[in-house]
Amino acid sequence: MGKPRMIVVGLDCAAPTLVFDRYRDSMPNLGSLIEGGTWGPLRSSEPPITVPAWTCMVSGRDPGELGLYGFRNRIAGKTGLRIANAQDVRVKRVWDWLGDHGFRVASLFVPLTSPPSPVRGDMISGFLLQSGDAPWCFPRSLAPEIEERFGPYIPDVENFRADDLERIDEEIRTMTRQHFDIAEHIWLEKKPDFMMMVEIGLDRFHHAFWRHIDPHHPKHEPGNRWFDSGREYYALLDAEIGRLRELADGDTTFLVVSDHGARAMRGGFCINDWLIRRGYLVLKDPPGTVSPLDHDRVDWSQTIAWAEGGYYARIFLNVAGREPHGLVPTHEATALTNRLRRELGALQDDDGCAISTMVRDPKEHYREVRGFPPDLMVYFDDLALRAIGSVGHGRSIIPENDTGPDTCNHDWNGIFVVSGGRVPARGRVEGAEIYDVTPTTLSVFGVERPPGILGRDWTA
Ligand SMILES: [Zn+2]
């Protein structure tokens, strides 16, 4: 066997039911990888969110160790959140270890790589680019080389939670084609030993189009004009995967992977309204209309807890000494956390029906908690419901997202399909986790497993 090489294609948000079942017959290239490889569902990180999930995947560290609890994270001294960037990643990622061992790498469009870092090869930052004149690639000379051939770099589709679906559909396809064009160019011109690209377009597609392509979504309209767009877009991704596959020789390990899955979202649980009703959160004046939780309108002198919404709820206690206007004495925090846990375990909807919840204490769940962890993390109805952070809804559950039209939530299981090189073909396997990617990749290159990382080596 020659020198090891590997291509990783990340499909952000690819769902097992769609890839392995519904659209399988429109994905012949992935089908041939499946037939000759090892594949199955891939359990995401908790939370199953793009940031931190990709970073967990490429570092073998859990979100607590990374201090990344979502797209936005708290910083000391403020109650608000700040969008994460690559400087928040303080651990090595798989391309760093491979570079240390003399392999040439390419990291393309991977989330949380802006600003780009020096690597032994090339890096093009993923979405959430730093604004202004900040570089979006390493080395900088790569920028004119790419833009001369492929036009201005498209890191993401703007405003994908919107109603102008024609625009979104077209922009997603254009972006996806550009990304694979760039990947092909890098593979041929830079000859990396390891190349990883992430296509964010699929995540944007799911959020924009889910109810139109999922016959089981409560808002699905049979015969709608977008119904076939799911099959078409998955087929486009498959054709692009096939293009890269043809460039790789038989010794190249090929891995297709996603950071989390996707599922129908039936609405959201209004967590801050609930905290207000229970007396934990006190506003200076009651919200007249639906509005985001304005921290300047919170009466911190009476507030015990508040929450951040999103795919899940992050609940923060207003702890004295930790928070700017802290109220809860440190020694009472544990008892309060336990009380909230009990009450969140017995939630009801507006008709008095139980809502299932999964409540996590990050200190118990992660191996370590860095950064600013929430005091509790709450998942509603196994992710069929989002957490609604805005206030003034007047009810527990609303039928839509509060940050723009969206009928898709993330799901626990993404996908993985690995074929070729040193990974034995095992067929369908259960129990693979997002953390397995780093040890498996390092093993493909014969690099010793770094101490302390999570995950199973699928070459073994
Ligand atoms: Zn994602």
Side-chain angles (χ1 to χ4, degrees), residues 227-240:
F227 182 68
D228 290 330
S229 64
R231 179 175 296 281
E232 288 162 15
Y233 185 60
Y234 272 82
L236 183 157
L237 290 170
D238 184 74
E240 298 289 2

Side-chain angles (χ1 to χ4, degrees), residues 7 28-29 59 97 131 202 227 235 238 289 292 319 366 387 400 423 438:
I7 294 177
N29 292 299
S59 71
W97 283 304
S131 55
L202 185 56
F227 182 68
D238 184 74
T289 54
V319 177
Y366 297 126
E400 58 259 315
V423 186
T438 287

Side-chain angles (χ1 to χ4, degrees), residues 12-13 48-51 54 200 203 259-260 410:
D12 199 293
C13 205
I49 300 179
T50 309
V51 175
W54 287 109
I200 193 71
D203 181 85
D259 55 336
H260 50 74
H410 292 178

